[in-house]
Amino acid sequence: MRPTATTRVAAVVGDPVRHSLSPVLHNAAFVESGADWVFVALEVAADDGHRVLDAVRVLGVDGLAVTTPHKEIVAAGVDDVDPAAAALGSVNTVVRRADGSLFGASTDGAGFVASLTAAGVDVRGLVVAVLGAGAAARSVIVALAGAGAAEVAVVNRTPAAAERAADLAAVARVGTFADLVPADVVVNATSIGMGNTAMPCDPDLLRPGHVVADLVYHPLHTALLIEAERRGARVVDGLGMLVHQAALQQRWWTGSDPDVSVMRAAADAELARRAATGA
Ligand code: NAP
């Protein structure tokens, strides 16, 4: 459907944002469903983050995705937020309601849990070891606790960050690499392995029976996932989280669930195109 004067607009704001997969994911779903929406990427410098919500109001943007470095300042400016965003002090999704008020949500962690569910992994009652304690790890910890994980061990290079992250959920605690062995699920939420073949842990800690999930999706088959598969573990790649968090954003904006498989296929095709062209 070609945009017309009544087409509704959704956008991602961030800096950098020109390599974002969000336009590809969202527009693929809008085209497939016939929704009269279009999604664009808008580069907004860090210093202008405080003006983003005014722009949303003035321009009538109906759906906003928010990425680094604006997630916290936007969270502080919306009228109300969902529980995950409240816990994290960060939003990645803004909805403009009919009365003009702005609602903020955080779909990253829920998207991660949804990617596990889609891979046949129900986290209720499971023991999880999370490597990392940054923004992505924090959203994953909150969502795992909300979804009923029995225990979450947070393993991070900087102990103070691990403590702050573990404080987000009653089932979470600071852990060590020894916590990987008995865990049901091992999650790499560090940036180790992004764009290279570095490993976030000793591969010999991985075993059959583990579910090993990597948030890193560039490359899609990270060294961690390759080593985990070699040792008989089940693996879940990071593109699943990206796609499912985007699907949850569309639910907030449009009230409908998009076809996740269409979004995934579009993301896979775009990554393959970039790999082939060096883009
Ligand atoms: P972040 O806030 O900067 O956190 C980075 C984390 O990685 C911290 O825990 C940091 O430990 C750890 N780390 C980085 N380099 C390390 C090293 N050399 N050795 C040990 N630990 C190291 O980043 P983020 O936003 O959480 O993102 C983390 C990763 O998740 C990125 O690769 C990002 O692309 C990915 N991600 C994926 C999705 C998805 O949808 N799949 C969504 C969000 C993020 P310290 O605390 O010690 O610095």
Side-chain angles (χ1 to χ4, degrees), residues 130-138 140 156 187-192 200 213-216:
V130 174
L131 300 171
R138 291 165 64 82
V140 162
N156 193 54
V187 184
N188 176 35
T190 75
S191 42
I192 299 172
D214 205 334
L215 268 53
V216 173

Side-chain angles (χ1 to χ4, degrees), residues 68 71 108 131-139 155-159 161-162 164 188-194 200 214-217 237-243 245:
T68 309
K71 288 181 170 187
D108 283 327
L131 300 171
R138 291 165 64 82
S139 67
V155 183
N156 193 54
R157 173 178 64 180
T158 306
R164 283 194 299 276
N188 176 35
T190 75
S191 42
I192 299 172
M194 192 163 69
D214 205 334
L215 268 53
V216 173
Y217 56 84
D237 69 46
L239 206 48
M241 172 175 172
L242 188 75
V243 166
Q245 66 79 26

Side-chain angles (χ1 to χ4, degrees), residues 80-201:
D80 55 320
V81 293
D82 76 345
L88 297 164
S90 156
V91 308
N92 74 339
T93 309
V94 177
V95 189
R96 198 167 60 90
R97 296 195 184 104
D99 66 1
S101 65
L102 299 179
F103 172 78
S106 180
T107 66
D108 283 327
F112 173 71
V113 169
S115 76
L116 288 182
T117 306
V121 180
D122 179 351
V123 300
R124 275 176 297 179
L126 298 189
V127 174
V128 185
V130 174
L131 300 171
R138 291 165 64 82
S139 67
V140 162
I141 291 163
V142 167
L144 286 169
E151 195 181 323
V152 179
V154 183
V155 183
N156 193 54
R157 173 178 64 180
T158 306
E163 280 166 28
R164 283 194 299 276
D167 283 346
L168 288 167
V171 294
R173 62 174 174 79
V174 176
T176 69
F177 282 110
D179 286 299
L180 268 63
V181 179
D184 300 299
V185 182
V186 174
V187 184
N188 176 35
T190 75
S191 42
I192 299 172
M194 192 163 69
N196 57 47
T197 55
M199 284 284 298
C201 66

